[in-house]
Structures are given as structure tokens and as C-alpha cells.
Amino acid sequence: MANPKKGPGMVAAAEPLAARVGTDILQQGGNAIDAAVAVGFALAVTYPAAGNLGGGGFLVGSIGRDNKQRSEVTLDFREVAPGAATADMYTRAAEAGNPSASLLGHLASGVPGSVSGMLTALERWGTMARRQVIEPALLLARDGFQMPARTHRMLNSSKESMLRFEATAETFFPNGKAIGEGQIFRQPDLARTLEFIIERGIAGFYDGEVADHIIIEMKRGGGLISAKDLLDYRSVERKPIRFSISNSSVVSMPPPSSGGICLAQMSRMLARFNIGTTDAESPQLYHLLAEVMRFSFADRNQYLGDPDHVTCPVKMLLDTERLDRLAGTIQRSSAASSAKLLKGSPPVKESEQTTHYSVIDSHGNGVAVTTTLNGAFGNKVLVPGAGFLLNNEMDDFTARPGEPNLFGLVQGSANAVAAAKRPLSSMSPTILLDPDGNVDAVLGTPGGPTIITNVFQVLLGLTRLGLSPENSVTAPKIHHQCVPDRLFLESSVPTSTEQTLRKFGHECARRSAIGDFQLIARTAHRGLVGVSDPRGGGSVSTA
Ligand code: DON
């Protein structure tokens, strides 16, 4: 899991072959962006549950063209709603007898952003040619690789819904059975798509044969994505959210991610409490965390949405006086009530099917990318002839007002569905900088709303709690998202801790593993330390 070797560069990713592709690129002289783009394309081949061409994501980087004058950048390549999408489309679908239209099948898919995102990043901040960074993925798709145990298991868990779609069934379940663990898995159609992208760049995906395949499939399956939607897709560079924690500064993703704002809010609220090494994993600290999470998610669900469509009151949300006032209401040993902030108490479903990867290169550039199809294998529709799955990101909108989404989030009108709008996200690729602006850590994880609370706990571990990178990741995690008013405890939280938290007034519920963290951190004595979460099946690769 941990690789304490000091090397010129490092990649941590949720799938080992893809991590290796990244360090190969670093060894060939590529920078962290070149490596990140190569890993992104490789994950689209080797980790089909979450790696993708048909999804979207966010990139946060601290990079410089000459590798000296570094600056922090973010790239938003989140999916957008098709032009024909409307605020009530999922309510109408439910009334017509299809309550899962935002999750399964063609209507669930937003216009994919990943190919635009990867290629835009390469063009702006990378140094290598498209072919050099995409070819490793193409070879993995064409020649195949051994089906990992984890993906085999995930295929079996999603089998019933995946078998509904013919091309998906043919690709992943030949003869009706999931490709076996260790069996060579080849994806010739996906290889062809990658070849088009190598040859024509962004147009190779959004225009021409690949785009035609998407449009034909949309028409066949009653989806909304049109040729114009694909041609209109653009990644957007956005101004990062910055805040400080101890002596370090943090750079994270702004809206349409809720991550950066929530992290900044929680950090500020927690700043007024004295905490140190001995507080790690204590019920007292978990309680404080739960309370700052509660406040932050109340804001998230009420105020945030796509900044290109709604006004996100970022200034108000980051206003330190307001945050200090909220923090001042936190009781040391008594839980507040979410009912006063928001209403309702829906269930939370578990799902860990996004993926994050972290890269640091020999020049000190750092890149954090979180990318997703949303649920495992997205909307389960593999585009016939093009070989990739589409996302079900439309469920991240307030798809059915008042009702919880896949992650139990009950969201407001700021996040209503609208044409060409991006759904609000919890993905939080994040970079930690030392006081001189050097990259100290690159962080991120999947996990829906637990992404935000998990990244916060790891940040806290590295900074205020003084934990090692390994312990920051492996420490038992908790999660509160305001609604439901329930404190989720990872299974490894001791029973005695749960008892104290119950005494404080928290309704507690257990969750299996939270997240699949991919961390690279610079340490004083061990140089770069990479940690690929032991909760998942990834690895750290050193260049
Ligand atoms: O953007 C979001 O917030 C979600 N679509 C992320 C989904 C996710 O992390 C699922 N896997 N754990």
C-alpha cells in the first residue's frame, strides 16, 4: 500500500496497470500533466467501473510550463445536461412508470466531458504529443489485459442491469457470464475510438464516427444527447478555491464542485477548536467533525449549483464571520439538529464507483484528478461500435425535487436540471501547498458526498493531527451530510467510540469501507510517500 521510496515522480491510482502507465510517461520525460492524461485514458480501459471516456471529472494542478513558475489551475470537464433536458424530466419519467430514469439507461446520461478535459489539459499544460500519452491505453484495449478480481466482482454485482443492454452484455458478459478473473479482456471497439482520438483530437470524439455512434445509440434508446450537444461541449478552466489550514494552504475545486467550498468552510469552523495529535480518532473530534460537516452540507445542498447557470453565493459561504458564528454554536458534547437547517430523513445508498489519481513529477508539479461515470459502470449503456460506457451523472442534479438521489442528498433549486447545465458534484481533487507554495500533497478519493468529508479528514490528519500519510488514509472515517441527520461510522470505528457519540446525541449508523483514497505526500524524512488506499485495489508506482 505505501511506497516510501524517494523517486523523481510518483503516481497513485485505483488500478495498478494505469498507475504504471503514468510512471512510464514520467520516465519518458513527461510532466505530471502528461502522466495524468495517460493515466486517465488508461483507467478508461483498465477500470471500466469508473475510469471513462463517457463521463466527466475535475483536475486540480500546481504546474508550470517551465516547471519553475508554478501556478495553481483547475479544469472542469464535468458532463453537461443535453440541450433538450428539462427540470421536470425525471418527475415525468417517474409518473410514466420509469422512476430510475436518472440512473439507468439513456436518459441518465449527460454529455461526456472526459475526452475534452484530458486533451485540453494536455494542450494547455502538457509537453507530449497525443499519441505518446494515449497509446499505452490503446495497446491495453487492443491487446487486452488480465481481468482484475475487483472489476470481475463489480461486474457480477451490476450484472442484472448491465445485461439489459446488448452491447454492454456482449462486451462484459460474453456467453452470459462476466469475463473471468485473470482472463484476457480485449476491447477492440474502444481501441478504435482511442485511435480516432489520437488522430483527430477532441474532434475525434465529439464529431465524426464516434459522435455518430453516440447519437445513433441515443436515438435508439430514447436518450437526449444530440450532435449539437456533442459539438458544443467545452471544458472550463476555473479559479481554484484556496484556504489555509495550519501553516499550509489548500487548493481545491470550485463550483460546479461543492468540494472546495465545503472543505474551506469546515476548515474555518474547526479552526476555533484546539486539536492535536492525541485527538485523532477520539469521539470528541469525531463529534466536532460531524457538526462542521452538518453545517457545510446544509449550505451545499441549498446554495450550490453550476456557476454558469445560477449565482453561487461564494462570498457569503466563505464569509469568516458567518462561519465563526456557526462554529460558536457547536456544543462540545451535544449534537445539533439538522431539522432546524433542512427537512427530511432519506436513506443513503453506498457506492464507491468514481476514481481518483494523484501525480507528482520530478519538478515538483502536482496533479489531482477525480473522474467518474457516477454509479458503477454509469448508466450501463455501452455505445455500440465505440466500446465505452456512458455516465449516469444526471442523477447528481436535483432530479426529483424533495427526493434523495443515489447518495441520499436532498438538493435545492440551484441544482435543478436545465439544458447545458452541469450537475453539482462532490468530487474534490485537492492539493496541499507548503508556505513557499511547493506541492506537499496531492489528495482525492471516490465516494459521492463522502469524498468531501474523507478528503477533509485526510487533510486534517496531514496537517493539524500530524499523522503519517499512511495513517491519515487508513484512520477510520466518519461522515455526516446534514440530511439524513445521521452520523455514519466506518466499520473500523470502535464500539466504545460509537457509544460516546450516541451519548452526545448522534444517531449513528455503520458503513463499510469509505473511499479509495490515492494520496501522495512529501514527508520530512522519507521524501515522497504514496498511499493507495488499502480499502481498494490500486497501487503506487514510482518513476
Ligand atoms: O460528482 C459526484 O459527486 C458524484 N457523481 C460522484 C460519484 C462517486 O463518487 C461514486 N463513487 N463512489
Side-chain angles (χ1 to χ4, degrees), residues 73 83 111 198 204-205 238 244 246 401 479 535:
V73 297
V111 183
I198 290 174
F205 183 89
R238 300 193 188 272
S244 54
S246 297
H479 173 71
R535 296 167 181 88

Side-chain angles (χ1 to χ4, degrees), residues 78 351-354 374 393 396 407 425-427 446-448 451:
R78 182 81 164 154
S351 172
E352 310 294 345
Q353 289 87 21
T354 292
N374 195 25
E393 222 70 58
D396 277 349
F407 302 106
S425 173
S426 300
M427 290 187 288
I451 292 174

Side-chain angles (χ1 to χ4, degrees), residues 154-484:
M154 289 168 120
L155 284 171
N156 275 329
S157 323
S158 300
K159 182 172 176 179
E160 200 194 315
S161 48
M162 291 181 84
L163 285 181
R164 292 198 202 183
F165 304 100
E166 207 179 310
T168 312
E170 274 170 16
T171 301
F172 295 104
F173 301 88
N175 314 314
K177 280 172 77 178
I179 305 262
E181 178 186 341
Q183 212 174 313
I184 298 297
F185 178 42
R186 294 190 182 84
Q187 301 169 82
D189 286 346
L190 183 55
R192 249 165 65 82
T193 294
L194 290 166
E195 186 61 52
F196 281 125
I197 297 170
I198 290 174
E199 278 169 18
R200 297 185 53 222
I202 289 178
F205 183 89
Y206 293 90
D207 193 9
E209 188 174 326
V210 176
D212 288 348
H213 283 308
I214 298 175
I215 294 154
I216 290 166
E217 180 59 16
M218 281 288 141
K219 286 198 178 129
R220 206 188 56 76
L224 299 181
I225 298 174
S226 68
K228 180 172 186 312
D229 290 333
L230 290 169
L231 287 173
D232 285 350
Y233 186 85
R234 295 286 180 277
S235 304
V236 184
E237 204 177 327
R238 300 193 188 272
K239 194 167 154 244
I241 297 284
R242 295 171 187 272
F243 61 95
S244 54
I245 186 164
S246 297
N247 294 326
S248 307
S249 50
V250 180
V251 183
S252 192
M253 197 66 207
S257 169
S258 52
I261 288 181
C262 289
L263 291 171
Q265 288 191 316
M266 294 189 294
S267 178
R268 176 72 196 194
M269 286 187 271
L270 207 62
R272 68 183 284 133
F273 297 95
N274 249 332
I275 55 171
T277 327
T278 52
D279 295 304
E281 299 180 30
S282 69
Q284 288 75 17
L285 178 59
Y286 283 145
H287 163 67
L288 290 178
L289 286 171
E291 295 305 308
V292 299
M293 290 171 185
R294 181 199 308 277
F295 279 127
S296 189
F297 270 83
D299 280 349
R300 175 202 188 278
N301 295 341
Q302 192 174 347
Y303 294 112
L304 294 179
D306 181 347
D308 296 338
H309 285 250
V310 294
T311 307
C312 296
V314 177
K315 227 172 135 192
M316 181 275 278
L317 295 174
L318 298 183
D319 178 63
T320 49
E321 273 177 36
R322 173 174 177 268
L323 292 169
D324 292 348
R325 190 159 26 82
L326 289 174
T329 67
I330 294 174
Q331 307 286 316
R332 281 275 183 180
S333 54
S334 166
S337 150
S338 295
K340 288 185 188 156
L341 302 169
L342 291 171
K343 289 195 184 116
S345 184
V348 171
K349 296 189 191 121
E350 290 182 29
S351 172
E352 310 294 345
Q353 289 87 21
T354 292
T355 192
H356 176 86
Y357 52 100
S358 294
V359 183
I360 290 187
D361 68 19
S362 60
H363 311 287
N365 296 317
V367 177
V369 179
T370 312
T371 180
T372 190
L373 290 166
N374 195 25
F377 307 102
N379 70 349
K380 318 288 198 278
V381 177
L382 184 126
V383 180
F388 59 86
L389 288 158
L390 290 169
N391 65 83
N392 56 357
E393 222 70 58
M394 294 294 282
D395 190 68
D396 277 349
F397 279 117
T398 309
R400 288 166 309 282
E403 284 183 42
N405 75 354
L406 177 65
F407 302 106
L409 292 168
V410 179
Q411 309 178 96
S413 55
N415 190 29
V417 182
K421 186 177 176 189
R422 285 156 150 87
L424 184 63
S425 173
S426 300
M427 290 187 288
S428 315
T430 296
I431 288 184
L432 185 69
L433 300 173
D434 74 10
D436 296 325
N438 301 308
V439 175
D440 251 357
V442 181
L443 308 87
T445 179
T450 69
I451 292 174
I452 304 173
T453 52
N454 194 356
V455 168
F456 186 59
Q457 288 168 85
V458 174
L459 270 177
L460 212 61
L462 292 174
T463 55
R464 298 189 64 192
L465 297 174
L467 300 182
S468 67
E470 291 88 341
N471 289 342
S472 300
V473 170
T474 57
K477 297 295 183 297
I478 62 141
H479 173 71
H480 203 298
Q481 60 184 44
C482 190
V483 175

